[in-house]
Amino acid sequence: MNTLFMKKFVFLIFLFALKICFAQTNLVPNPGFEEHSSCPNDMWQISLANHWQNATLCLSEYFNSCGTNWVSVPSNASGFEFAHNGLAYAGVYGFYNTVNYGQGYIQTQLIDTLKSNIKYYIEFFISLADSLSLATTHMGAFLSDSSIFVSTYNTLPLTPQIISSTIEQVTTKNGWSKISGYFTAHGGEKYITIGNFNPDTIADTVFVSQAHWYPGAYYYIDDVFVGTDTTVSVAENQKELSYFNVYPNPSKEKLFVEYRFADLKNEKHTIDLFTIDGKLMQTLTVNKNMGTVTLDVKDLPSGNYFISLGSKTLNKKVTIIH
């Protein structure tokens, strides 16, 4: 074996090792709820998202941009929210003090069984829905050896390994909050269940706004991660490279949009203002990769709108009031 061949061989082995070391290994199948057997057309259809199911009698929702108005993305029966990533997400009740509702939970079987004495990183994203008036302070994830299904509408009597830790995480309606943490597996865990695990659900609730429907706490859920790689999803890292901020929100006359694009090429980008049903109201073309622009909104009707940055790769909901 000649020296040149040996060098190439060693280099290829080195690249392969790097690929293994830096691979994004997520043990959650269909973590963003993108894969589905069919588009949702009614409530309580989480089973249409491949690999996901309910853990109690309180049925959970599946939202997808291909669904009907009730269960579409971004606008649906529970509110208005773009997916954290992609075109779909799940939805569960964190609290609903009514017979046949109660607490909802979603569950999936992991791709592989967790190993004993290995530290794992767990992450998922939640967004409080607009239509109900409460938040709940104990949204979490429970890792178990076996599948869970309990014939109840009540809280599951389980202690989650990962749980929300701040009020800001569970009260965010405009955008997504990350719930995350580490735990050391005892070995054999193969299922993840997500929901509110606080047995005292009434004391657990926080008032956030006047209810459009009934008092309760409802959460969208997206991008679930279980793995030993703490760099987590490539999509999230890419999102952090592109950025924009809109203020003041609500606004009466002007909206200021701060932006930064991830790519470093001097290409044209657009900033668009849409109604919630997708009608384009204003558009600006920017030639710089970062800066601040102004949208004049004083002549627009009061209501909710959304601003998209870069062909809708990033979106923010805004409110105009007069």
Side-chain angles (χ1 to χ4, degrees), residues 74 146 227 297:
S146 58
V297 297

Side-chain angles (χ1 to χ4, degrees), residues 53-54 85 136 147 243 310:
Q53 61 191 30
N54 293 288
N85 185 44
T136 182
S147 177
Y243 159 85

Side-chain angles (χ1 to χ4, degrees), residues 12-276:
L12 289 174
I13 293 296
F14 174 71
L15 289 179
F16 180 72
L18 282 179
K19 185 176 181 180
I20 293 176
C21 290
F22 292 100
Q24 303 289 340
T25 304
N26 189 354
L27 297 179
V28 178
N30 196 16
F33 307 94
E34 303 297 322
E35 302 171 15
H36 53 278
S37 57
S38 63
C39 293
N41 58 15
D42 204 348
M43 311 299 284
W44 309 329
Q45 293 183 332
I46 187 61
S47 60
L48 295 181
N50 295 354
H51 306 289
W52 289 92
Q53 61 191 30
N54 293 288
T56 66
L57 294 176
C58 183
L59 303 181
S60 303
E61 273 70 53
Y62 177 48
F63 300 97
N64 193 303
S65 63
C66 70
T68 65
N69 290 338
W70 284 93
V71 285
S72 187
V73 173
S75 182
N76 50 65
S78 298
F80 182 95
E81 191 63 67
F82 287 95
H84 178 256
N85 185 44
L87 300 171
Y89 45 73
V92 302
Y93 277 103
F95 170 76
Y96 205 114
N97 193 21
T98 304
V99 176
N100 294 345
Y101 279 89
Q103 272 73 263
Y105 301 86
I106 56 172
Q107 178 182 161
T108 190
Q109 181 176 347
L110 301 178
I111 296 171
D112 196 10
T113 303
L114 303 191
K115 306 300 187 293
S116 176
N117 296 320
I118 298 296
K119 180 180 287 188
Y120 289 87
Y121 178 73
I122 316 299
E123 174 182 283
F124 62 96
F125 290 81
I126 64 172
S127 181
L128 182 64
D130 300 321
S131 299
L132 290 91
S133 61
L134 303 176
T136 182
T137 60
H138 286 72
M139 292 296 292
F142 180 73
L143 284 296
S144 59
D145 297 8
S146 58
S147 177
I148 296 169
F149 183 81
V150 181
S151 297
T152 181
Y153 294 100
N154 299 322
T155 308
L156 290 176
L158 303 168
T159 302
Q161 292 90 343
I162 306 300
I163 197 166
S164 53
S165 57
T166 68
I167 292 295
E168 289 76 17
Q169 287 175 320
V170 295
T171 56
T172 295
K173 287 187 174 183
N174 185 9
W176 295 82
S177 295
K178 179 169 65 176
I179 310 298
S180 62
Y182 297 87
F183 92 106
T184 301
H186 65 69
E189 295 94 336
K190 200 168 184 179
Y191 292 84
I192 183 170
T193 304
I194 298 174
N196 176 20
F197 293 89
N198 188 351
D200 191 353
T201 51
I202 295 178
D204 180 47
T205 57
V206 177
F207 180 80
V208 290
S209 63
Q210 186 64 38
H212 296 182
W213 286 11
Y214 300 101
Y218 189 90
Y219 288 91
Y220 303 127
I221 299 173
D222 204 358
D223 288 340
V224 185
F225 180 91
V226 177
T228 56
D229 186 351
T230 58
T231 55
V232 199
S233 64
V234 173
E236 178 60 15
N237 289 336
Q238 289 175 341
K239 280 193 171 188
E240 291 176 357
L241 294 175
S242 290
Y243 159 85
F244 79 122
N245 181 42
V246 181
Y247 64 93
N249 188 14
S251 175
K252 292 184 177 180
E253 296 185 353
K254 295 182 183 296
L255 283 170
F256 298 93
V257 183
E258 297 176 334
Y259 68 91
R260 181 178 68 247
F261 287 97
D263 61 88
L264 299 179
K265 299 177 183 178
N266 292 319
E267 297 179 348
K268 292 182 179 180
H269 300 285
T270 59
I271 297 173
D272 301 314
L273 175 68
F274 291 88
T275 62
I276 60 172

